[in-house]
Amino acid sequence: MAKPVPGTLSLFSDLIHADPGTPFKLSAVNPADKRLGSGDKEEDKRRVEQLAVQLDELQNLFYADKRFAMLVVLQGTDTSGKDGTLRGVFGRMSPLGVHAVAWKAPNADERAHEPLWRIHRALPAKGEIVVFNRSHYEDVLVPVVGKTISARETQQRYARINDFERALTETGTVICKFMLHISKDEQRERLQARLDDPAKRWKFDPADLVARQQWAAYQRAYAAAISATGTPWAPWMVVPSDSKTQRNLVIATVLEARLRALGLRFPPAPPELAGLKVV
Amino acid sequence: MAKPVPGTLSLFSDLIHADPGTPFKLSAVNPADKRLGSGDKEEDKRRVEQLAVQLDELQNLFYADKRFAMLVVLQGTDTSGKDGTLRGVFGRMSPLGVHAVAWKAPNADERAHEPLWRIHRALPAKGEIVVFNRSHYEDVLVPVVGKTISARETQQRYARINDFERALTETGTVICKFMLHISKDEQRERLQARLDDPAKRWKFDPADLVARQQWAAYQRAYAAAISATGTPWAPWMVVPSDSKTQRNLVIATVLEARLRALGLRFPPAPPELAGLKVV
């Protein structure tokens, strides 16, 4: 299991939930929190860009090292910034060794299996970083809000997810779970911007308005899921996301710290290569 | 089928092979050609960086448009710069909608199928750009050099690849095939650098030295494959690659022209969304 990262991550201790025995209060997190910000937006953007370049270097080393895999989970309501995080934080890494999986509602074949079946097939290999844009957590959010599964089945799903993630971390996968937390007002502005801007309108889905009407139920479902599945091996981090720059700054900072803490290194050279001359 | 791009691509007409009825002379291409270069390396690097940012914008539009898929094939001998192209040309795009597949020798399950079986499963969906680092062409290079298939079987494989690629382009996939062409001297320097630099040594594979001994046979196999499978629907482009900056400049320029020629656009808004206000 990867070592905890006390230094940098202690800045965020109130945003991290790693104890499935205690409830996590999502409403206590201010979506407009800017604790990492310099107060100067342009300066913060430059900092994100610097971190993205450092993450690219670390990813190159991660790919070479091949002792670990990394699974990054991005969850959040519609417009919370999952695509934007992919571009802003991961957009400097080489596509060799990094890829994103955008999860949709399960198709007929996937529904004929248990919910984690399709997830297994998309997991990162050693050396790879896979980013889930939505994830297996949709299966404990959508049915809970839609009231299509019982409380007992919900608890079983949480427990199976915890077992699944523990098995992954025990076998070399580092799991980073981020819940992008925005306010209901911020979502209204972003949905309206999608409608009004021809370059964004393609992302607008009328179903998002239905989900918006269930805002309170989704917030409760997120709080319950985070409470139950924030574990020592795969903690949840709630990321204040009303500001896109702050969101990227927090996520990039955390990922950089997690990667540095792994003690990555280029694999040692086999002794028979020493002094070899290519002709 | 995508329209040809007469403007920009006419700069490269001697490097492009699109006629399987005529032989292509690989030895006529100078790996040190710098026709796009300004003469100032730093200036050329800035130009690559600008193009990479433009490619990121085009990829965002490509992902939104969803009328096309794109398959980019990177082939070339060891150290020819396939990984470096991924980082330099594609490294600015969002992982959402772009990913790379690094092909290895087929495993037992894959060998139990015909060679294109595993390729089908890795093809891009509409809106996606998939970059093959090595590709289905390994199956008409490695066995040809190893003399494990007959001339007749080789011709059949070429013909099946042409049919396969025609079917893909007819159904909306744009195919860009690049052969990264380096000199044998340049390869020696790069292999030696891999041995001597601890940050590169992990990429060194003693099997590369065996392939280097078969240099002439590989050059012949490449020329034959390019001759037979450079088609109007999926032309080959041979990229002078002794200079990494020039290689990236040529590939980024061609991709930018190919993407622009598609007439990409954000999907039109459904009329029922006009004037909608989010509450």
Side-chain angles (χ1 to χ4, degrees), chain B residues 87-273:
Chain B
R87 194 170 291 276
V89 177
F90 297 89
R92 280 294 200 126
M93 295 181 186
S94 167
L96 185 67
V98 180
H99 83 268
V101 181
W103 294 98
K104 312 284 181 203
N107 64 28
D109 187 32
E110 292 166 344
R111 284 196 309 274
H113 294 267
E114 61 87 18
L116 291 172
W117 175 79
R118 62 177 185 158
I119 307 297
H120 277 275
R121 308 203 297 177
L123 292 172
K126 295 284 169 71
E128 280 184 348
I129 298 175
V130 168
V131 189
F132 281 180
N133 181 343
R134 305 186 185 273
S135 68
H136 45 299
Y137 285 96
E138 293 290 308
D139 285 310
V140 284
L141 293 167
V142 176
V144 163
V145 169
K147 298 196 176 77
T148 57
I149 60 174
S150 68
R152 180 185 158 83
E153 170 69 6
T154 304
Q155 294 304 319
Q156 287 177 338
R157 289 196 185 186
Y158 292 150
R160 288 200 301 265
I161 286 175
N162 288 347
D163 291 346
F164 167 70
E165 292 182 345
R166 197 186 58 247
L168 287 181
T169 56
E170 283 174 359
T171 51
T173 299
V174 178
I175 302 178
C176 300
K177 302 189 294 198
F178 298 103
M179 189 269 178
L180 311 190
H181 185 46
I182 57 171
S183 66
K184 195 175 177 186
D185 282 349
E186 180 68 21
Q187 190 191 52
R188 185 186 59 247
E189 286 181 25
R190 292 186 186 182
L191 284 172
Q192 193 66 55
R194 281 191 184 173
L195 279 165
D196 297 344
D197 180 347
K200 293 180 175 174
R201 201 175 291 138
W202 65 279
K203 296 186 79 174
F204 186 86
D205 178 352
D208 296 352
L209 294 181
V210 179
R212 180 167 169 77
Q213 288 169 348
Q214 300 166 311
W215 178 272
Y218 267 107
Q219 296 292 303
R220 281 194 302 273
Y222 264 107
I226 290 167
S227 297
T229 62
T231 55
W233 53 89
W236 270 107
M237 178 165 190
V238 176
V239 181
S241 299
D242 273 4
S243 156
K244 296 169 186 177
T245 305
Q246 296 301 312
R247 175 201 73 210
N248 286 350
L249 193 53
V250 167
I251 294 177
T253 299
V254 169
L255 287 174
E256 204 257 356
R258 292 291 304 266
L259 285 166
R260 287 219 188 280
L262 295 174
L264 299 171
R265 44 112 180 109
F266 290 107
E272 66 271 23
L273 294 187

Side-chain angles (χ1 to χ4, degrees), chain A:
Chain A
M1 209 178 298
K3 286 173 294 186
V5 187
T8 309
L9 295 193
S10 65
L11 286 173
F12 306 113
S13 54
D14 57 316
L15 303 177
I16 294 174
H17 186 69
D19 177 6
T22 62
F24 181 81
K25 222 169 139 51
L26 186 57
S27 56
V29 179
N30 174 10
D33 180 297
K34 294 187 175 181
R35 72 185 67 184
L36 279 192
S38 66
D40 175 349
K41 188 166 185 165
E42 291 311 310
E43 172 59 27
D44 289 348
K45 283 187 178 177
R46 276 192 296 277
R47 180 76 189 124
V48 170
E49 181 67 12
Q50 283 168 0
L51 282 164
V53 171
Q54 288 171 33
L55 285 170
D56 175 41
E57 286 167 20
L58 284 163
Q59 183 260 319
N60 186 44
L61 190 54
F62 188 87
Y63 183 77
D65 186 307
K66 293 259 191 305
R67 288 178 297 158
F68 305 100
M70 181 176 262
L71 176 62
V72 180
V73 169
L74 301 180
Q75 277 289 158
T77 56
D78 300 311
T79 76
S80 61
K82 300 178 290 293
D83 291 0
T85 301
L86 275 163
R87 193 170 293 276
V89 176
F90 297 89
R92 281 295 199 121
M93 296 180 185
S94 167
L96 186 68
V98 181
H99 83 269
V101 181
W103 294 98
K104 313 283 181 203
N107 64 27
D109 189 30
E110 292 166 345
R111 285 195 308 272
H113 294 266
E114 62 87 19
L116 291 171
W117 175 78
R118 62 176 185 159
I119 307 297
H120 276 276
R121 307 203 298 177
L123 292 172
K126 295 283 168 73
E128 280 184 348
I129 298 175
V130 168
V131 189
F132 281 180
N133 182 342
R134 304 186 185 273
S135 68
H136 44 301
Y137 285 97
E138 293 290 307
D139 284 311
V140 283
L141 294 168
V142 176
V144 164
V145 170
K147 300 196 174 76
T148 57
I149 59 174
S150 67
R152 180 185 159 83
E153 170 69 5
T154 304
Q155 294 304 319
Q156 286 178 338
R157 288 196 187 186
Y158 291 151
R160 287 201 302 265
I161 285 176
N162 288 347
D163 290 346
F164 167 70
E165 292 182 347
R166 197 186 57 245
L168 288 181
T169 57
E170 283 175 358
T171 51
T173 299
V174 178
I175 302 179
C176 300
K177 302 189 294 199
F178 298 104
M179 189 270 179
L180 312 189
H181 186 46
I182 58 170
S183 66
K184 196 175 177 187
D185 281 349
E186 181 68 21
Q187 190 190 52
R188 185 186 60 244
E189 286 181 27
R190 293 186 186 182
L191 284 172
Q192 192 67 55
R194 282 192 184 174
L195 278 165
D196 296 344
D197 181 347
K200 293 182 176 171
R201 202 175 290 138
W202 64 278
K203 296 186 80 173
F204 186 86
D205 178 351
D208 295 351
L209 294 182
V210 179
R212 180 167 169 77
Q213 287 170 347
Q214 300 167 311
W215 179 270
Y218 267 107
Q219 296 292 304
R220 282 193 301 274
Y222 264 108
I226 290 168
S227 298
T229 62
T231 55
W233 52 89
W236 270 107
M237 176 164 190
V238 176
V239 181
S241 298
D242 273 4
S243 156
K244 296 169 185 176
T245 305
Q246 296 303 312
R247 173 200 74 210
N248 287 350
L249 193 53
V250 168
I251 294 177
T253 299
V254 169
L255 287 174
E256 205 258 356
R258 293 290 305 264
L259 285 166
R260 287 220 187 278
L262 295 174
L264 299 170
R265 44 113 180 108
F266 289 107
E272 67 270 23
L273 295 186
L276 194 64
K277 286 287 161 210
V278 180
V279 290

Side-chain angles (χ1 to χ4, degrees), chain B residues 69-98:
Chain B
M70 181 175 262
L71 176 63
V72 180
V73 169
L74 301 180
Q75 279 287 161
T77 56
D78 301 311
T79 76
S80 62
K82 300 178 290 293
D83 291 358
T85 300
L86 274 164
R87 194 170 291 276
V89 177
F90 297 89
R92 280 294 200 126
M93 295 181 186
S94 167
L96 185 67
V98 180

Side-chain angles (χ1 to χ4, degrees), chain B residues 19-78:
Chain B
D19 178 5
T22 63
F24 181 81
K25 224 169 137 50
L26 186 57
S27 57
V29 178
N30 175 11
D33 180 298
K34 295 189 175 181
R35 70 185 69 184
L36 279 192
S38 66
D40 175 348
K41 187 165 184 165
E42 291 310 310
E43 172 59 27
D44 289 349
K45 281 187 178 177
R46 275 192 296 276
R47 179 76 189 123
V48 169
E49 181 68 12
Q50 282 167 0
L51 281 164
V53 171
Q54 288 171 32
L55 285 170
D56 175 41
E57 286 168 19
L58 284 163
Q59 183 260 320
N60 186 43
L61 190 54
F62 189 87
Y63 184 76
D65 186 307
K66 293 259 191 306
R67 288 178 297 158
F68 306 100
M70 181 175 262
L71 176 63
V72 180
V73 169
L74 301 180
Q75 279 287 161
T77 56
D78 301 311

